[in-house]
Amino acid sequence: MAQHQTVLVLDYGSQFTQLIARRVREANVYCEIVRFDHGAEAVRTRRPSAIILSGGPASVTAEDAPTLDPVILDAGVPVLGICYGLQVLTRTLGGTVSPSARREYGKAWLGIDDDADLLANLDEARAQVWMSHGDHVSVPAPGFDVLGRSEDGIIAAVAHRARRLFGVQFHPEVVHTPRGTRMLRNFLFDIAGLTGDWTPASFVDEAVERIRAQVGDARVICGMSGGVDSAVAAALIHKAIGDRMTCVFVDNGLLRAGEAQQVVEVFGKRFQWDLRHVDASERFLTALAGVSDPETKRKIIGRVFIEVFDEIAQTIPDADFLAQGTLYPDVIESESVRGPAAVIKSHHNVGGLPEHMNLKIVEPLRELFKDEVRVAGLEMGLPEHIVWRQPFPGPGLAIRVLGEVTPERLQILRNADLIVREEMAAAGLERAIWQGFAVLLPVRTVGVMGDDRTYDNVLAIRAVSSLDGMTADWYPMPHEVLGRMSTRIINEVNGVNRVVYDISSKPPATIEWE
């Protein structure tokens, strides 16, 4: 990879750490996240052009609080501390951090005392910001000037201009700080002097070179699902090594209406890639018969997928590499400062393939966020309906049929889900909605159709808006669109007589129901 100017984010456990990195990359500056205890030497070898210290849930006054190696501050590059990052910066350099008599959470106002450098060009003397802290800087470290305070008099922004060290008590990376992007750009371009030399488009050429160097003359097996991650990963690999890539598409019988045909049509016929299409739907449904527990369903699907993929891979004896669509959030979360996350749900992917296959892993997307993957896909000419395909769970419709998965219940859901997607498209909502889909509930209700009493299924419609799926808000679907969805589903899908709309956000709910 070409040497880009790099911003390093030291992660102290904030729920917004990834958002910091996204905001930096949106400014066309390459950014990586590492744990706060990465080590001064390891930080130095990455040759960052600037460093950002993230927020975090700990109190800097606690005995076991995450710390900052002062050697990092002697590297001569600009540093910006955000929330906990400001506090650990202050404490490390000899200032005082104290518990706040009045905690600040949510919307607040920043009074600007010094509108140079970090707070320049905000066009206002009082800016809305978003706070989330119980401690505060009561005495700045030696050499630091106060740039602004909150309405409660809390120090909210500081600067040591000679050393180019800055800190803010609020979160400039969130949308609730409207001028936060301007502040970050002030830090990146005016203070750090960066030029913005990285884009997802430039990533494509560099990724192709990297794949060629890693793979050499070998053959690569690429697991194909039809989703944007596997499609873009395969496109990069094909651009790098051409016909030495073999895609394996396992149809588990749990896909949405028309998806299997679409994968074969686009990648097998239109692009003429070496695509091995395996219809294993009967095998999956047989294994799922009688199973209602969602975690058991996921594990069964993962096990059968591995078995089928293994069998196909054995017919490609000259393959040395296995391609995975691992994204940057996957990499970050596997090294989280907060330690192993609680298991909300298990996932299956080809990373669980048997050791006897002895395949080396190639992960061409491991530096990208989901939106950057889409830009790379468009850059390589992938169809928009593939690039903008909504995220779809690995276990497919099996976790949207609550309870036992049967061919009959799958067909009811498949027909209803198609109507939901058609009406979203007709209303022009596909890009506004991160995910919109139907869920078949294990509930039956009394209804009346014509002069007859019915006792049929309840179907839920779920639609959310999100940037990356980590958090999500329920989408305020226009009533007329919901009305058309409900009317069509009840009239056109046998077995459904009631439709409901899910208005839960994530958290506390998850996007999927299982």
Side-chain angles (χ1 to χ4, degrees):
M1 178 176 173
Q3 183 63 44
H4 290 284
Q5 295 175 323
T6 299
V7 171
L8 210 57
V9 178
L10 300 193
D11 182 15
Y12 284 90
S14 171
Q15 60 181 315
F16 302 124
T17 299
Q18 289 193 35
L19 194 52
I20 297 171
R22 289 171 59 86
R23 292 289 178 261
V24 173
R25 289 193 183 189
E26 285 168 4
N28 293 337
V29 175
Y30 184 67
C31 182
E32 292 182 0
I33 299 172
V34 297
R35 287 175 54 104
F36 74 91
D37 54 1
H38 197 58
E41 180 60 23
V43 168
R44 187 191 65 78
T45 58
R46 288 176 180 260
R47 299 173 61 188
S49 300
I51 295 171
I52 297 178
L53 313 176
S54 84
S59 169
V60 74
T61 61
E63 243 182 69
D64 58 348
T67 58
L68 171 64
D69 188 337
V71 176
I72 291 174
L73 303 178
D74 294 330
V77 301
V79 175
L80 172 63
I82 295 175
C83 196
Y84 184 92
L86 162 64
Q87 296 169 10
V88 74
L89 176 66
T90 298
R91 193 175 176 89
T92 300
L93 293 177
T96 304
V97 177
S98 308
S100 297
R102 180 178 175 183
R103 297 180 178 186
E104 293 181 311
Y105 292 103
K107 177 177 162 182
W109 290 94
L110 167 69
I112 299 173
D113 299 326
D114 187 336
D115 63 357
D117 39 60
L118 187 65
L119 302 183
N121 303 312
L122 301 187
D123 302 323
E124 49 197 2
R126 180 173 173 267
Q128 179 183 319
V129 296
W130 197 82
M131 295 279 195
S132 180
H133 67 96
D135 296 335
H136 72 284
V137 174
S138 51
V139 180
F144 279 81
D145 299 319
V146 176
L147 306 182
R149 298 175 184 268
S150 72
E151 287 183 307
D152 294 328
I154 297 294
I155 293 173
V158 300
H160 191 309
R161 291 188 169 96
R163 297 184 65 182
R164 294 191 296 170
L165 305 178
F166 295 80
V168 293
Q169 186 56 71
F170 52 88
H171 288 271
E173 70 274 24
V174 303
V175 295
H176 309 293
T177 302
R179 304 296 285 163
T181 298
R182 176 72 265 174
M183 298 175 197
L184 289 173
R185 292 179 70 88
N186 286 342
F187 175 72
L188 296 172
F189 300 124
D190 298 338
I191 294 170
L194 305 182
T195 58
D197 64 350
W198 185 86
T199 65
S202 68
F203 163 84
V204 171
D205 292 336
E206 295 167 12
V208 167
E209 291 178 14
R210 193 161 50 244
I211 292 166
R212 287 173 179 161
Q214 180 184 3
V215 170
D217 296 327
R219 175 168 293 277
V220 177
I221 299 175
C222 186
M224 173 65 66
S225 69
V228 60
D229 300 342
S230 66
V232 174
L236 281 169
I237 292 167
H238 189 268
K239 189 176 177 69
I241 65 172
D243 293 340
R244 287 184 287 114
M245 176 188 76
T246 297
C247 291
V248 176
F249 169 48
V250 177
D251 181 356
N252 57 16
L254 304 169
L255 302 176
R256 294 175 291 194
E259 286 190 319
Q261 298 91 325
Q262 184 183 83
V263 170
V264 174
E265 181 64 35
V266 171
F267 300 107
K269 296 180 181 178
R270 177 175 166 183
F271 288 177
Q272 295 188 324
W273 293 350
D274 179 10
L275 177 67
R276 311 290 174 89
H277 174 209
V278 187
D279 184 355
S281 53
E282 188 173 338
R283 186 164 167 180
F284 278 86
L285 292 178
T286 298
L288 289 168
V291 177
S292 297
D293 177 71
E295 187 66 9
T296 304
K297 284 194 284 188
R298 286 177 177 271
K299 289 178 178 177
I300 288 172
I301 293 166
R303 173 180 57 78
V304 176
F305 175 84
I306 289 170
E307 292 172 358
V308 175
F309 197 94
D310 185 16
E311 292 167 9
I312 301 304
Q314 298 307 312
T315 69
I316 313 171
D318 60 337
D320 293 332
F321 287 86
L322 172 69
Q324 292 188 163
T326 306
L327 302 189
Y328 195 43
D330 303 322
V331 177
I332 296 167
E333 288 165 10
S334 69
E335 301 174 355
S336 170
V337 68
R338 288 163 284 186
V343 176
I344 306 301
K345 55 191 177 184
S346 62
H347 297 268
H348 80 276
N349 56 52
V350 290
L353 289 173
E355 291 183 7
H356 68 77
M357 290 181 63
N358 199 29
L359 295 173
K360 296 178 282 266
I361 301 297
V362 55
E363 298 173 313
L365 305 179
R366 64 182 283 117
E367 296 173 0
L368 300 187
F369 289 102
K370 175 75 79 172
D371 55 340
E372 295 169 335
V373 171
R374 289 193 168 108
V375 173
L378 292 172
E379 181 74 13
M380 290 184 291
L382 289 179
E384 285 206 5
H385 68 271
I386 294 292
V387 171
W388 288 102
R389 179 182 188 249
Q390 291 188 352
F392 189 60
L397 297 181
I399 59 169
R400 294 179 181 172
V401 171
L402 304 197
E404 183 181 2
V405 180
T406 67
E408 295 75 22
R409 289 176 63 76
L410 276 172
Q411 194 56 47
I412 291 173
L413 177 60
R414 198 172 275 124
N415 293 340
D417 186 78
L418 179 60
I419 291 172
V420 170
R421 291 187 289 134
E422 286 176 346
E423 291 299 333
M424 284 195 304
L429 299 175
E430 288 178 303
R431 299 284 178 89
I433 294 174
W434 169 266
Q435 275 182 277
F437 54 89
V439 181
L440 187 62
L441 308 186
V443 177
R444 301 182 74 186
T445 65
V446 173
V448 178
M449 290 187 176
D451 294 325
D452 293 331
R453 175 187 184 276
T454 62
Y455 190 57
D456 280 330
N457 296 282
V458 180
L459 185 112
I461 296 173
R462 175 76 158 145
V464 299
S465 56
S466 178
L467 288 175
D468 48 27
M470 296 182 66
T471 61
D473 292 323
W474 62 274
Y475 186 78
M477 189 80 72
H479 291 180
E480 62 273 16
V481 178
L482 279 176
R484 286 196 298 271
M485 290 177 179
S486 178
T487 299
R488 285 193 59 193
I489 289 169
I490 291 172
N491 287 345
E492 299 174 28
V493 180
N494 291 331
V496 176
N497 67 0
R498 191 179 300 269
V499 175
V500 299
Y501 190 58
D502 182 349
I503 58 169
S504 310
S505 294
K506 174 188 179 182
T510 54
I511 294 177
E512 298 291 344
W513 278 47
E514 286 191 343

